[in-house]
Amino acid sequence: MSRHTQRFRRRHPSTPAHNPHCPCGLAETYENCCGRFHTGDTSPPTAEALMRSRYTAFVKRDERYLLRTWHPRTRPARIDFEPGLTWTGLEVLETTDGSAFHSTGTVTFRASYRGGALHERSRFERVEGAWVYVDGDFVE
């Protein structure tokens, strides 16, 4: 490799200098975090990972993923995204069960949006080995 090529590679790396974090709040890029779940390359290993990926799907308005990860008995026919709603952050407050050793779990979270926040305790179950969202209760 010549000196010129080495200098060029240092100035122009193959990956972008700025990799934005995933909308779910973890310090990974979208592609390495929730993006891999959205593409179907792999499934979220925990209820919390599913909840984070679903939040990110709402941010990105990914109806296909949201419906795919919704329990068949509670799944709506379609998702009605609220026009103009901008999600601004996610805070996981508590998790109960929901690991690889459980068949159910709950995640309590606060999802902020411009002008307010949604505070919910969500329930998750495994269906055919994959975590799915069942339903949730708003927390006051």
Side-chain angles (χ1 to χ4, degrees):
M1 182 182 303
S2 74
R3 235 182 202 188
H4 175 72
T5 305
Q6 288 175 347
R7 278 197 315 264
F8 176 8
R9 286 196 178 176
R10 269 189 243 126
R11 284 190 212 144
H12 302 285
S14 60
T15 57
H18 178 262
N19 287 328
H21 293 224
C22 188
C24 80
L26 297 180
E28 288 285 339
T29 62
Y30 166 74
E31 292 77 16
N32 290 330
C33 195
C34 295
R36 63 196 171 112
F37 304 135
H38 292 175
T39 61
D41 290 345
T42 188
S43 295
T46 65
E48 180 181 338
L50 176 64
M51 192 280 312
R52 287 180 178 279
S53 70
R54 286 177 55 83
Y55 167 81
T56 298
F58 273 104
V59 170
K60 295 190 169 285
R61 296 177 179 256
D62 185 345
E63 180 180 34
R64 194 180 97 242
Y65 181 77
L66 290 166
L67 292 174
R68 186 175 81 220
T69 59
W70 211 306
H71 197 289
R73 101 175 155 255
T74 58
R75 180 187 310 136
R78 61 182 213 151
I79 308 290
D80 292 321
F81 295 105
E82 193 168 324
L85 182 68
T86 302
W87 295 101
T88 59
L90 175 68
E91 181 183 6
V92 174
L93 304 171
E94 181 182 16
T95 61
T96 304
D97 298 335
S99 77
F101 303 105
H102 300 106
S103 59
T104 63
T106 63
V107 179
T108 304
F109 66 91
R110 182 176 296 113
S112 300
Y113 56 88
R114 204 171 288 149
L118 169 72
H119 190 183
E120 182 178 304
R121 181 176 300 107
S122 296
R123 284 179 285 283
F124 299 88
E125 289 181 15
R126 281 187 187 269
V127 172
E128 298 178 9
W131 285 107
V132 293
Y133 169 78
V134 178
D135 60 16
D137 296 318
F138 294 116
V139 180
E140 296 291 325

